[in-house]
Amino acid sequence: MVDPTAGPAATAAVPRLATRPARLDGLVVGLVANPKKNAEPFLDAVGELLAAEHGTADVVRTRKTSITDPIAPAVLDELAQRCDVVLIGVGDCGSCSAAAVADGIAFEAAGVPAAVICTDAFRVSADAMARLQGSPGYTYVTTAHPLAPLDADGVRDRARLALPELVGMLSSAVPAVAR
Amino acid sequence: MSIDENALAGLRSTLEADDYRMALAETGDRVEVTITAGPAACEDCLVPKPIMRNILHAALGVPEDAIVLKYPADAS
């Protein structure tokens, strides 16, 4: 279970983000999937598009076993060592959206640029977790709710639609700003 | 209680996306918020209470400690 009070004190005026690389080519991308249906296929599709169109070198996959829990510290540490940037998602329910945002903030604190994906029905939960973690306005990418019922083609279409925003969030020379 | 209707509507929509419903009842200086689950709701999908209190505090304009929050699991 995410302890939303376990993060930094909620006093930050803006989210603290890791420094973004100027480009993604040659970089290793971490894919942090939650157990929700279609989370892994969505992230895999984004990973494939990043390799094909932005020259990323490799992906490192991990699948969380809990909808509600944050990523295990040991897993976060390993990914932070192995990955240049990470994608986290897909927040397609209240608690997993909140957990995804908590994970994104944790990766940023570890110095790893992160892009969190949630479906648009769960902005309220995601934004609340950002406030409680001391990163009000933390920016994430949304895709239309729901994701779970989509077939493989539908998931790939969603990944394609989200790609430009994800690339901008991970590689912007000017870090993403709070909404 | 100074309700932000937009925020409250957003919360209701978020809950309904996971097949939950919310009922509010004002009792003196406290607000009782009862969340109920529909047939398609998954217990794990409901945000932890501290997050819900944060959302409700903003939406209802009352201190978090004035919110009596009841989740479906509380009844069991």
Side-chain angles (χ1 to χ4, degrees), chain A residues 1-2 4-5 36 67-68 92-95 98 121-122 124-125 128-129 131-132 145, chain B residues 7 10-11 13-15 17-18 42 44-48 50-52 54-55 58 64:
Chain A
M1 177 74 73
V2 174
T5 64
K36 296 293 286 188
I67 288 174
T68 57
D92 201 19
C93 75
S95 60
F122 299 104
V124 170
S125 309
M129 178 58 90
R131 289 193 301 270
L132 286 162
H145 176 79
Chain B
L11 174 56
S13 294
T14 287
L15 287 166
D18 280 332
C42 82
D44 286 345
C45 291
L46 191 57
V47 294
I51 301 175
M52 185 62 75
N54 179 276
I55 297 168
E64 289 188 26

Side-chain angles (χ1 to χ4, degrees), chain B residues 48-67:
Chain B
K49 283 186 175 181
I51 301 175
M52 185 62 75
R53 286 186 190 282
N54 179 276
I55 297 168
L56 288 165
H57 161 68
L60 300 177
V62 298
E64 289 188 26
D65 59 9
I67 298 167

Side-chain angles (χ1 to χ4, degrees), chain A residues 4 7-16 105 128-138:
Chain A
T11 55
V14 294
R16 294 177 297 277
I105 291 168
M129 178 58 90
R131 289 193 301 270
L132 286 162
Q133 289 288 308
S135 293
Y138 182 78

Side-chain angles (χ1 to χ4, degrees), chain A residues 39-76:
Chain A
E40 285 180 292
F42 181 96
L43 294 182
D44 283 343
V46 174
E48 290 167 10
L49 289 166
L50 288 173
E53 300 180 14
H54 296 273
T56 52
D58 201 0
V59 295
V60 177
R61 295 178 178 83
T62 190
R63 182 180 187 272
K64 294 170 64 176
T65 56
S66 166
I67 288 174
T68 57
D69 291 345
I71 190 166
V75 178
L76 187 150

Side-chain angles (χ1 to χ4, degrees), chain A:
Chain A
M1 177 74 73
V2 174
D3 178 0
T5 64
T11 55
V14 294
R16 294 177 297 277
L17 300 179
T19 303
R20 266 50 188 166
R23 301 166 58 88
L24 295 178
D25 45 306
L27 301 188
V28 175
V29 182
L31 305 179
V32 182
N34 64 30
K36 296 293 286 188
K37 186 170 185 286
N38 279 335
E40 285 180 292
F42 181 96
L43 294 182
D44 283 343
V46 174
E48 290 167 10
L49 289 166
L50 288 173
E53 300 180 14
H54 296 273
T56 52
D58 201 0
V59 295
V60 177
R61 295 178 178 83
T62 190
R63 182 180 187 272
K64 294 170 64 176
T65 56
S66 166
I67 288 174
T68 57
D69 291 345
I71 190 166
V75 178
L76 187 150
D77 289 345
E78 181 190 352
L79 290 173
Q81 292 291 322
R82 297 176 62 189
C83 303
D84 299 297
V85 297
V86 295
L87 295 165
I88 301 165
V90 174
D92 201 19
C93 75
S95 60
C96 66
S97 294
V101 165
D103 290 344
I105 291 168
F107 273 104
E108 300 284 356
V112 183
V116 173
I117 306 101
C118 297
T119 60
D120 55 8
F122 299 104
R123 288 183 179 277
V124 170
S125 309
D127 291 347
M129 178 58 90
R131 289 193 301 270
L132 286 162
Q133 289 288 308
S135 293
Y138 182 78
T139 307
Y140 48 89
V141 173
T142 58
T143 187
H145 176 79
L147 187 71
L150 299 182
D151 63 13
D153 287 341
V155 171
R156 280 193 293 271
D157 288 346
R158 291 290 191 82
R160 160 66 61 194
L161 282 172
L163 186 69
E165 199 173 355
L166 291 168
V167 170
M169 193 169 284
L170 291 174
S171 65
S172 176
V174 180
V177 295
R179 284 175 292 133

Side-chain angles (χ1 to χ4, degrees), chain B residues 23-27 30-34 60 66-70:
Chain B
L24 304 177
E26 202 170 355
T27 54
R30 301 176 79 78
V31 184
E32 188 171 288
V33 180
T34 304
L60 300 177
I67 298 167
V68 180
L69 183 55
K70 296 183 177 178

